[in-house]
Amino acid sequence: GVSSNGQLSADMVYRYSRHLLLPSFGVEAQANLLTSSVLVIGAGGLGSPALLYLTACGVGRVGIVDHDVVELNNLQRQIIHNEANIGRSKVESAAAACRAINSTVQIVEHKEAFRTSNALEIMSKYDIVIDATDNVPSRYMINDCCVVLGKPLISGAALGLEGQLTVYNYNGGPCYRCLFPTPPPTTACQRCSDSGVLGVVPGVIGCLQALEAIKVAAAVGEPLSGRMLLLDALSARIRVVKIRGRSLQCEACGENATMTAQQFRYFDYEKFTQSPLSTSPLKLNL
Amino acid sequence: GVSSNGQLSADMVYRYSRHLLLPSFGVEAQANLLTSSVLVIGAGGLGSPALLYLTACGVGRVGIVDHDVVELNNLQRQIIHNEANIGRSKVESAAAACRAINSTVQIVEHKEAFRTSNALEIMSKYDIVIDATDNVPSRYMINDCCVVLGKPLISGAALGLEGQLTVYNYNGGPCYRCLFPTPPPTTACQRCSDSGVLGVVPGVIGCLQALEAIKVAAAVGEPLSGRMLLLDALSARIRVVKIRGRSLQCEACGENATMTAQQFRYFDYEKFTQSPLSTSPLKLNL
Amino acid sequence: LCANLKLLAMQLTLEFGGGLELLCNSLKIHKVNVDPQDGEKLTMKHLLAWVRTNLIKERPEMFMKGDSVRPGVLVLINDCDWELSEQLDTVLEEDDVVVFISTLHGG
Amino acid sequence: LCANLKLLAMQLTLEFGGGLELLCNSLKIHKVNVDPQDGEKLTMKHLLAWVRTNLIKERPEMFMKGDSVRPGVLVLINDCDWELSEQLDTVLEEDDVVVFISTLHGG
Ligand SMILES: [Zn+2]
Ligand SMILES: [Zn+2]
């Protein structure tokens, strides 16, 4: 796509013309995007729109990590999948949808759970990470891996009728552990599978995750670092609040932090958070 | 899907389980959704995510209006389409994607431009209208048609790196003409095809349009009526501001308004706004 | 006298989110009047005790731990993280908005 | 004297959006000090004239029509539509935030 002198091919000029026309984006930001790579961890409610927009907008390489298969009860919010793919790997299903939209983007399939044993190797191949997972131990693990490898982390979450979004470990800003040094009690850790979620709420947050990843990748605008977006869907209230900066005492990114690749590999995130990385959802009794 | 006594089938209970688990949504709101109908005018940047989420979430009947065909330069933001459908009608392409996600939703194809000659007949079959068009005369025409037929209008717009969203003609709130009684000068009416748009910006706004339509259809929460959401993507600032109420002087919905079905049919929106309902985009010269 | 009484009780807006509203009758926004503890100042520490006594209807351990909030709860005073002010020692002012929000993990 | 001068000039935040920022050097947020016209009050009518003279660098007809804003521009004073106050006659106060935003039509 991008030749060695930074020129876009005629097809790319046509495909991305709406970006190239933008004075505050233009050829330079598009060229940045085309040479960047983003890893999306989780091809579910948040990952669906994030993957579609990253691919459509022209990120050069998009990686997808998930170990799950598509189920009918995912389709209420996971719009990258469809009925024909029920039972198929979510990564394969999502990759096929991305390739259909933009065959010029390199889509990389990681059909495995993201674990301390493979995390460093997978993540090291990408510039930017999107956390689109649904559980507490994964959020600490992905954060620590981003800190060890120095990758910006676009973190989104959705539950019920609320959503949250921020950018961690970016340009001297805080990491997830700076905000949450101690894991919450397990009774406070609800998942969509336990408590429900209105399908379009992760849609909004996932789109905003793609937006922040595009801004970081293209080097435009002010990413949502040191700030957090809070969405309350029922009342249609969205606030962007100011959060703390990097903590000198942070055990991942602080002054005396000892989080290294070696330590990361042997850290027990399930024990630390007292929550499993993966569970079968509760049965619904109506 | 919904039986006469309001019971959901077992498949539906499973598909929508994440909604049914939600205390503030539950069976009643889902049943409201399943018996509602939404018309999406425009299967482009805003319409793409709106259509996918409305269908996934279980709106009973979804109508799609568009007269355009899919082009390569749409795919940077119109994630409901794909490369294989280039040259095909946008309505057919979008309808196929919706049916693949949720075959239990009735998808109605309106492969024609939305005009005063067909607007009343098409819109009268739906409960809620989403304006996902890209030009000024369409916005006035859709507003007036909603006022004549008493339909709530979920209005979104995106251009460059900004987006706007509000709900018009809902529950005594203002209509588009209450806010904008006089059309803007034609020099102030830029389109995405003229000025560009970052692909994920209509993504965010289109998702929020689906959210507001779902709230109105399901009768939950406080729709964004009398308020407007303003998104500035570059700075990641989102504000929700308070706007005026219904104007007694409004020529569409005011006390002495004369906008009837008969008058609507003969109103010349292109002359009123001095803009065409449809144009070929400017050629891009880089 | 009325003017004095009005000066004593401080009007605040308290908001609960991320599931914490379930501990307060599922109501997200509470407009409250809180008396300063020593007749002068109202600190966050005092407000937390007040909230626990007056608003939290169930499972207080989901809201507090010791005399602060439990891990995973963000506290925002006028849209700023309380870590940017004096946390428990922050002195509140009339019409302040204090948000308690539990971090979400779903996706 | 300094204190008096400071009282006279009113500090405001002016924001331009929806393309109107292109008329002001592509800068969206302007922190400005504006002198009240009669030494006492500053109205929106006066502020609009001040903006046109001091901030608008090109195509003023894209911002104003007569002594008000052109059709299609929303004016928000502290996040409220100016139609909810006195429009041109609204009296501004220190630290007010005034937003001028052009309505968008793209999709
Ligand atoms: Zn840290
Ligand atoms: Zn009206």
Side-chain angles (χ1 to χ4, degrees):
Chain A
V2 192
S3 67
S4 53
N5 60 4
Q7 292 279 38
L8 303 185
S9 68
D11 261 12
M12 289 217 169
V13 168
Y14 185 51
R15 183 190 282 269
Y16 302 119
S17 54
R18 299 299 177 265
H19 291 167
L20 305 180
L21 280 163
L22 275 173
S24 43
F25 205 81
V27 179
E28 194 182 334
Q30 187 66 45
N32 289 343
L33 257 194
L34 289 165
T35 52
S36 73
S37 55
V38 180
L39 179 66
V40 178
I41 309 177
L46 298 166
S48 288
L51 284 164
L52 292 172
Y53 280 103
L54 291 171
T55 305
C57 285
V59 166
R61 185 157 41 87
V62 174
I64 317 173
V65 187
D66 206 308
H67 70 289
D68 231 343
V69 297
V70 180
E71 294 180 71
L72 176 60
N73 63 1
N74 300 149
L75 299 186
Q76 144 270 13
R77 67 190 184 286
Q78 301 183 14
I79 54 150
I80 204 167
H81 308 301
N82 58 44
E83 292 176 2
N85 280 341
I86 289 174
R88 191 176 173 196
S89 135
K90 281 192 182 176
V91 167
E92 282 178 25
S93 165
C98 289
R99 291 187 184 115
I101 285 181
N102 194 342
S103 58
T104 70
V105 171
Q106 191 191 341
I107 307 294
V108 185
E109 304 183 20
H110 302 279
K111 278 184 276 184
E112 49 195 321
F114 198 72
R115 299 199 167 268
T116 49
S117 53
N118 60 10
L120 291 160
E121 200 199 327
I122 293 175
M123 194 188 282
S124 60
K125 295 173 194 145
Y126 298 88
D127 302 327
I128 297 164
V129 177
I130 288 189
D131 184 345
T133 62
D134 68 349
N135 63 80
V136 183
S138 292
R139 292 191 178 268
Y140 280 97
M141 178 173 60
I142 291 167
N143 176 73
D144 292 355
C145 194
C146 284
V147 169
V148 167
L149 296 174
K151 311 285 183 186
L153 171 59
I154 321 290
S155 182
L159 190 78
L161 292 133
E162 290 184 65
Q164 299 174 353
L165 171 79
T166 188
V167 177
Y168 290 119
N169 199 43
Y170 177 73
N171 216 1
C175 83
Y176 187 71
R177 278 197 199 241
C178 293
L179 259 79
F180 305 109
T182 310
T186 50
T187 45
C189 300
Q190 300 171 315
R191 301 181 184 206
C192 299
S193 49
D194 306 334
S195 312
V197 63
L198 182 63
V200 69
V201 175
V204 175
I205 300 295
C207 282
L208 289 167
Q209 285 183 284
L211 170 60
E212 292 305 310
I214 287 167
K215 284 160 62 182
V216 171
V220 299
E222 303 157 48
L224 200 69
S225 165
R227 295 182 291 156
M228 185 180 280
L229 182 145
L230 307 170
L231 163 69
D232 184 33
L234 267 195
S235 64
R237 283 168 17 118
I238 303 188
R239 49 165 31 114
V240 176
V241 301
K242 193 168 191 296
I243 56 175
R244 68 200 73 172
R246 179 155 288 194
S247 161
L248 298 177
Q249 284 77 48
C250 177
E251 292 189 16
C253 75
E255 270 185 332
N256 303 306
T258 53
M259 187 59 74
T260 60
Q262 188 65 7
Q263 218 202 335
F264 171 79
R265 255 188 218 102
Y266 294 102
F267 196 95
D268 187 337
Y269 288 93
E270 296 193 319
K271 191 174 159 203
F272 175 61
T273 60
Q274 301 199 306
S275 308
L277 277 158
S278 171
T279 47
S280 16
L282 295 179
K283 286 268 171 281
L284 180 72
N285 293 306
L286 287 175
Chain B
V2 192
S3 67
S4 54
N5 59 4
Q7 292 279 41
L8 303 185
S9 68
D11 261 12
M12 290 218 169
V13 169
Y14 185 51
R15 182 190 282 270
Y16 303 119
S17 55
R18 301 298 177 266
H19 291 167
L20 305 180
L21 279 163
L22 276 173
S24 43
F25 205 80
V27 179
E28 194 182 333
Q30 187 65 45
N32 289 343
L33 257 193
L34 289 166
T35 52
S36 73
S37 54
V38 179
L39 179 66
V40 179
I41 308 177
L46 298 165
S48 287
L51 284 164
L52 292 172
Y53 281 102
L54 291 171
T55 305
C57 286
V59 166
R61 186 158 38 88
V62 174
I64 317 173
V65 188
D66 206 307
H67 71 287
D68 230 343
V69 297
V70 180
E71 294 181 72
L72 177 60
N73 63 1
N74 299 149
L75 298 186
Q76 144 269 14
R77 66 190 185 287
Q78 301 182 16
I79 54 149
I80 204 168
H81 308 301
N82 58 44
E83 292 176 1
N85 280 341
I86 288 175
R88 191 178 173 194
S89 134
K90 282 191 182 177
V91 166
E92 280 178 27
S93 165
C98 289
R99 290 184 185 119
I101 285 180
N102 194 343
S103 58
T104 70
V105 171
Q106 191 191 341
I107 307 294
V108 185
E109 304 183 20
H110 301 280
K111 279 184 275 186
E112 49 194 322
F114 198 72
R115 299 199 167 269
T116 50
S117 53
N118 60 9
L120 291 160
E121 199 198 330
I122 293 174
M123 194 187 284
S124 61
K125 296 172 193 146
Y126 298 88
D127 302 326
I128 297 165
V129 177
I130 287 188
D131 184 344
T133 62
D134 68 348
N135 63 79
V136 183
S138 291
R139 292 188 179 270
Y140 279 97
M141 178 173 59
I142 291 167
N143 177 73
D144 292 354
C145 195
C146 283
V147 170
V148 167
L149 296 174
K151 310 285 183 186
L153 171 58
I154 322 289
S155 181
L159 191 80
L161 291 133
E162 290 184 65
Q164 298 174 353
L165 171 78
T166 188
V167 176
Y168 290 119
N169 199 43
Y170 176 73
N171 215 2
C175 84
Y176 187 73
R177 279 197 198 241
C178 292
L179 259 78
F180 305 110
T182 310
T186 50
T187 45
C189 299
Q190 300 171 315
R191 301 182 184 206
C192 299
S193 49
D194 306 333
S195 313
V197 63
L198 182 63
V200 67
V201 175
V204 175
I205 300 295
C207 281
L208 289 167
Q209 285 184 284
L211 170 60
E212 292 305 310
I214 287 168
K215 284 160 61 183
V216 171
V220 298
E222 302 157 48
L224 200 68
S225 165
R227 296 181 291 157
M228 184 179 281
L229 182 145
L230 307 170
L231 164 69
D232 183 34
L234 268 196
S235 64
R237 281 166 21 116
I238 303 186
R239 49 168 28 119
V240 176
V241 301
K242 194 169 190 301
I243 56 175
R244 68 200 73 172
R246 178 155 287 193
S247 162
L248 298 177
Q249 285 77 46
C250 176
E251 292 190 15
C253 75
E255 272 185 332
N256 303 308
T258 53
M259 188 58 73
T260 60
Q262 187 64 10
Q263 219 201 333
F264 171 79
R265 254 188 221 101
Y266 294 102
F267 196 95
D268 187 337
Y269 287 93
E270 296 192 318
K271 191 173 161 204
F272 175 61
T273 60
Q274 302 198 307
S275 307
L277 277 159
S278 172
T279 47
S280 18
L282 295 179
K283 285 268 174 279
L284 178 71
N285 294 306
L286 287 175
Chain C
L1 183 64
C2 280
N4 280 335
L5 279 176
K6 205 172 160 224
L7 278 173
L8 283 175
M10 196 169 274
Q11 192 170 50
L12 302 170
T13 303
L14 308 182
E15 300 192 20
F16 298 82
L20 294 179
E21 71 280 7
L22 300 175
L23 312 176
C24 332
N25 285 332
S26 295
L27 204 63
K28 289 200 161 183
I29 302 181
H30 299 253
K31 301 251 179 199
V32 299
N33 290 289
V34 184
D35 287 324
Q37 64 264 55
D38 56 2
E40 279 187 47
K41 293 192 293 186
L42 174 63
T43 62
M44 276 302 298
K45 185 172 174 177
H46 183 66
L47 179 66
L48 282 179
W50 187 92
V51 167
R52 180 170 178 159
T53 306
N54 293 279
L55 294 184
I56 303 292
K57 301 298 176 192
E58 51 177 299
R59 291 176 291 160
E61 74 282 3
M62 292 287 285
F63 181 61
M64 287 183 77
K65 186 174 176 184
D67 59 0
S68 190
V69 294
R70 69 151 167 87
V73 172
L74 287 177
V75 181
L76 307 162
I77 303 170
N78 300 324
D79 282 351
C80 283
D81 191 343
W82 74 337
E83 291 284 329
L84 298 168
S85 54
E86 301 299 313
Q87 301 106 47
L88 284 172
D89 297 328
T90 309
V91 177
L92 294 167
E93 295 182 13
E94 185 78 10
D95 295 326
D96 275 353
V97 179
V98 183
V99 176
F100 302 99
I101 195 151
S102 179
T103 180
L104 304 177
H105 316 99
Chain D
L1 185 64
C2 281
N4 280 336
L5 278 175
K6 206 176 159 219
L7 278 173
L8 283 176
M10 197 170 274
Q11 191 170 49
L12 302 171
T13 302
L14 308 183
E15 301 192 22
F16 297 83
L20 294 179
E21 71 280 8
L22 300 175
L23 311 177
C24 331
N25 285 332
S26 295
L27 204 61
K28 289 200 161 183
I29 302 182
H30 299 252
K31 300 253 179 198
V32 300
N33 289 289
V34 183
D35 287 325
Q37 64 264 54
D38 57 3
E40 275 187 49
K41 293 193 292 184
L42 174 63
T43 62
M44 277 301 299
K45 184 172 176 176
H46 182 66
L47 178 67
L48 283 177
W50 187 94
V51 167
R52 179 170 178 158
T53 305
N54 294 279
L55 293 184
I56 303 292
K57 301 297 176 194
E58 51 178 301
R59 290 176 292 160
E61 75 282 3
M62 291 289 284
F63 181 62
M64 287 183 77
K65 186 173 176 185
D67 60 1
S68 190
V69 293
R70 70 151 166 85
V73 172
L74 286 178
V75 181
L76 307 163
I77 304 170
N78 301 323
D79 283 351
C80 283
D81 191 343
W82 74 340
E83 290 285 329
L84 297 169
S85 53
E86 301 300 313
Q87 300 105 47
L88 284 171
D89 297 327
T90 310
V91 176
L92 295 167
E93 295 181 15
E94 185 79 9
D95 295 327
D96 275 353
V97 179
V98 183
V99 176
F100 302 99
I101 196 150
S102 178
T103 182
L104 304 176
H105 316 99

